[in-house]
Amino acid sequence: MARNIQSLERAAAMLRLLAGGERRLGLSDIASSLDLAKGTAHGILRTLQAEGFVEQDEASGRYQLGAELLRLGTTYLDVHELRARALVWTDDLARSSGESVYLGVLHQQGVLIVHHVFRPDDSRQVLEIGAMQPLHCTALGKVLSAYDPVAHSEALESDRKAFTERTVCDLEDFEQLLDVTRARGYAADVEETWEGVASIAAPIHDRRRMPVGAVGITGAVERLCRPDEDGALRPDLIAAVRDCARAVSRDLGAGRF
């Protein structure tokens, strides 16, 4: 069995110590509580401080948990709450649309899939939770880029790779797509990422009216688009996706949009 890395174990023990009991602890208190030499404890604290996981009070010299650790914890809670609030609504969307449903959030320079509901048929499908999608061409990514300033910056700075002949890579054209997305309240991807596949997505907002994710459906072009109108997306599916996004947003405290 592989051995644990001692320095990481000590750092984890230090963070747990700072998370409980007194708000701030001095170097001697931390070292004695964890049975470490002061030099060892100081080295670990210095590394954690450099990463933002620990902060040192200038006046007293005591240590406490840092803002970066708290930010990571808040991010986890936000995603956990988003998934929890979306479970019922995404199940309903899969049933009503007959398509796969995806819930995505911004992660680095892409879309992280945090929830996936299978298409309600007997076809063989692969669970895609944890998969990454590009920002510039997927419906989920366009929604995040249109409504989230951070995602927008990430999309502009990323390599907007062409996945198909339909992929929009030019910056000016991409910005126009985002304007259209904001104007109509949803984004579309018709064979821009995968041949023969279309997607529709809409934004999810929290109680602060901030964009926290996107929900969408993905399926074959012939099912999501109307064959008699030059490939236009089906209005009933657009409405279903937008209704789902609004329902999740209301559950997150965003009120009506």
Side-chain angles (χ1 to χ4, degrees):
M1 183 170 62
R3 297 176 60 186
N4 293 339
I5 300 174
Q6 188 180 55
S7 59
L8 292 180
E9 289 182 329
R10 288 173 171 174
M14 200 169 286
L15 293 174
R16 292 192 189 98
L17 180 65
L18 291 170
E22 297 182 27
R23 179 175 173 79
R24 293 175 179 153
L25 294 172
L27 175 60
S28 297
D29 299 324
I30 294 171
S32 61
S33 296
L34 300 178
D35 196 24
L36 297 174
K38 281 188 177 182
T40 301
H42 185 256
I44 296 173
L45 285 167
R46 189 170 62 246
T47 301
L48 291 173
Q49 186 178 0
E51 295 297 328
F53 296 142
V54 165
E55 295 174 356
Q56 186 179 28
D57 181 67
E58 292 184 4
S60 67
R62 290 175 173 266
Y63 295 90
Q64 65 182 24
L65 293 180
E68 179 64 15
L69 188 66
L70 298 176
R71 185 190 68 81
L72 291 176
T74 301
T75 300
Y76 169 77
L77 291 174
D78 286 347
V79 172
H80 181 72
E81 183 181 8
L82 175 61
R83 287 187 68 251
R85 298 289 185 180
L87 289 177
V88 172
W89 301 111
T90 50
D91 283 348
D92 286 347
L93 178 58
R95 282 193 294 269
S96 65
S97 67
E99 302 296 343
S100 301
V101 178
Y102 295 88
L103 187 67
V105 298
L106 175 66
H107 181 67
Q108 297 176 353
Q109 290 188 322
V111 183
L112 175 66
I113 303 302
V114 296
H115 186 55
H116 175 199
V117 183
F118 282 164
R119 185 172 62 254
D121 59 19
D122 295 328
S123 63
R124 184 174 181 177
Q125 300 172 64
V126 177
L127 189 66
E128 295 188 43
I129 294 175
M132 293 289 294
Q133 294 186 3
L135 285 169
H136 70 287
C137 56
T138 61
L140 293 172
K142 290 179 194 175
V143 164
L144 293 174
S145 300
Y147 288 90
D148 185 341
V150 176
H152 181 240
S153 297
E154 296 285 4
L156 297 188
E157 294 171 4
S158 66
D159 178 21
R160 291 181 297 280
K161 172 185 174 183
F163 291 91
T164 73
E165 293 181 355
R166 293 173 175 260
T167 306
V168 175
C169 302
D170 178 75
L171 179 57
E172 185 176 344
D173 292 340
F174 177 65
E175 290 283 25
Q176 290 178 357
L177 275 179
L178 299 187
D179 288 340
V180 171
T181 297
R182 285 185 286 266
R184 63 190 185 184
Y186 72 92
D189 164 12
V190 180
E191 296 189 288
E192 293 180 48
T193 312
W194 300 281
E195 296 283 354
V197 177
S199 300
I200 305 167
I204 296 173
H205 297 81
D206 66 6
R207 60 184 62 87
R208 299 163 297 173
R209 296 294 182 96
M210 297 295 292
V212 293
V215 63
I217 60 173
T218 297
V221 169
E222 58 265 25
R223 295 198 303 268
L224 268 65
C225 299
R226 295 190 295 192
D228 59 335
E229 295 197 19
D230 195 28
L233 290 164
R234 287 170 48 190
D236 60 317
L237 294 180
I238 295 171
V241 171
R242 297 191 66 193
D243 286 347
C244 178
R246 282 193 288 260
V248 178
S249 297
R250 285 197 299 270
D251 274 6
L252 288 170
R256 290 188 172 274
F257 274 85

